[in-house]
Amino acid sequence: MKPQIEQIESWARYAGKMAIEMRKEDLKVEYKNQADLVTRADKAIEAYLLAQLEENFPSHTALAEETGMHKKDSAHKWYIDPIDGTLNYAHGLPEYSISIAYAYEGELQVGVVYCPEMDELFSAVKGQGAWLNGEPIRVSRIDKLTDALLITGFRHALLDTPRTNIDNFIHFSRKAQTVRRLGSAALDLAYVAAGRAEGFWEIALNPWDVAAGILLVREAGGIVEGLFGEADLLTGSVDILSANPAIFPQMRKVLEEVRKLKASNIQTL
Ligand code: 2AM
Ligand code: CA
């Protein structure tokens, strides 16, 4: 049986209620490392979503942030982030989301990203389109980088390494209208899909952060690739570039310029 979008949407909405309720009491924050944390809400929501899968699709494989791979029939695979943007969640900021995606034979079929605090549910079905609370969404028509609002994020562990995103951030800050750092990659991609941002890039994300958002952007008429064209965005560490079709090549050009500067050891700041 194929997963129905309405069913996944209802799981996401229920998970969102759990997130809002649980934030009223002690979140029991544990640190995976300085900037990577987990709360009892992440664990409870993941357990709830995995239980839904077990009940409805017992033969399907699931990859979930807190408990890893639950390997079964891997032609059917789910990507689950119970709370994307846990740092925001733990600090009381509204920018966090529940992200659920389903892929068949490696092709994303359904994606849902739900922001409970704003009650915004973004959904997409392969070949059918993308929606925000049931209304169709499209990427923006802005076509000049100088008019573009971009979003990015920074992996803490990369800050003092050659893979740091800081150089890209500085160059895009000069060339675009502005660059925002919001804290939930799943929502960032949803905002590109909805035309609120023209582009998003980030380094070293995980498949569960991006799977649903990738389908949202593609179904809304946007482009998603690896930062330098890598095709596989659903395994291992993911470097991602996503934008409307006009802005996408302009962003790639800037990323390539920065890469060249770094390779030639020229001080890029
Ligand atoms: P999370 O809140 O689910 O951990 C912030 O720019 C984005 O990076 C969020 O989507 C966040 O997801 C993700 N993120 C945080 N820590 C991470 C880590 N150690 N590895 C990969 N992604 C991470
Ligand atoms: Ca998470």
Side-chain angles (χ1 to χ4, degrees):
M1 198 181 59
K2 248 181 113 181
Q4 297 300 309
I5 185 77
E6 294 78 14
Q7 187 175 33
I8 305 171
E9 287 177 356
S10 79
W11 298 344
R13 285 191 186 278
Y14 187 83
K17 283 203 193 94
M18 289 175 72
I20 287 178
E21 282 306 309
M22 293 186 94
R23 191 147 79 165
K24 292 177 186 160
E25 282 163 38
D26 181 10
L27 283 173
K28 300 205 167 42
V29 175
E30 291 166 39
Y31 288 83
K32 298 184 201 168
N33 61 49
Q34 184 186 343
D36 198 359
L37 46 87
V38 59
T39 72
R40 70 187 176 93
D42 297 79
K43 292 179 186 172
I45 292 171
E46 181 156 316
Y48 161 72
L49 293 171
L50 289 172
Q52 299 312 305
L53 289 184
E54 189 59 46
E55 194 180 319
N56 292 279
F57 305 103
S59 64
H60 291 191
T61 289
L63 175 63
E65 173 163 17
E66 311 305 341
T67 55
M69 186 76 88
H70 302 258
K71 200 162 171 44
K72 295 180 191 164
D73 175 355
S74 43
H76 302 272
K77 194 161 171 187
W78 294 78
Y79 297 86
I80 291 182
D81 194 346
I83 298 184
D84 185 52
T86 302
L87 215 80
N88 284 350
Y89 177 72
H91 281 266
L93 286 166
E95 287 294 323
Y96 67 88
S97 60
I98 288 106
S99 177
I100 308 169
Y102 164 73
Y104 179 67
E105 293 187 338
E107 293 270 345
L108 289 162
Q109 305 294 322
V110 182
V112 170
V113 174
Y114 180 52
C115 176
E117 303 286 339
M118 325 248 187
D119 191 23
E120 288 193 325
L121 191 141
F122 300 86
S123 54
V125 177
K126 190 179 183 209
Q128 292 181 29
W131 305 271
L132 164 53
N133 292 342
E135 296 295 320
I137 50 175
R138 294 297 293 172
V139 294
S140 87
R141 290 173 183 278
I142 286 176
D143 59 1
K144 291 192 192 69
L145 195 54
T146 46
D147 297 333
L149 184 151
L150 308 181
I151 310 177
T152 192
F154 299 88
R155 178 81 331 90
H156 196 268
L158 295 182
L159 276 177
D160 295 315
T161 75
R163 266 165 61 70
T164 179
N165 194 24
I166 295 285
D167 308 86
N168 294 324
F169 173 74
I170 289 169
H171 282 252
F172 277 122
S173 298
R174 292 196 186 106
K175 290 180 191 251
Q177 188 176 61
T178 191
V179 184
R180 301 293 191 223
R181 190 241 180 120
L182 304 180
S184 161
L187 265 189
D188 298 343
L189 286 162
Y191 291 169
V192 173
R196 295 174 178 176
E198 279 59 56
F200 165 71
W201 88 96
E202 194 165 340
I203 295 171
L205 290 171
N206 289 296
W208 53 79
D209 299 319
V210 296
I214 290 170
L215 191 65
L216 281 167
V217 172
R218 290 185 176 150
E219 287 297 324
I223 303 176
V224 189
E225 287 180 9
L227 206 64
F228 295 106
E230 306 87 320
D232 182 7
L233 301 173
L234 297 179
T235 29
S237 172
V238 180
D239 298 352
I240 196 166
L241 172 60
S242 163
N244 77 31
I247 295 297
F248 189 92
Q250 300 175 59
M251 288 185 72
R252 173 65 62 64
K253 192 164 159 250
V254 173
L255 290 165
E256 275 164 1
E257 281 164 13
V258 175
R259 181 162 72 165
K260 270 192 210 126
L261 285 170
K262 278 181 161 179
S264 56
N265 272 329
I266 292 170
Q267 175 56 261
T268 54
L269 300 184

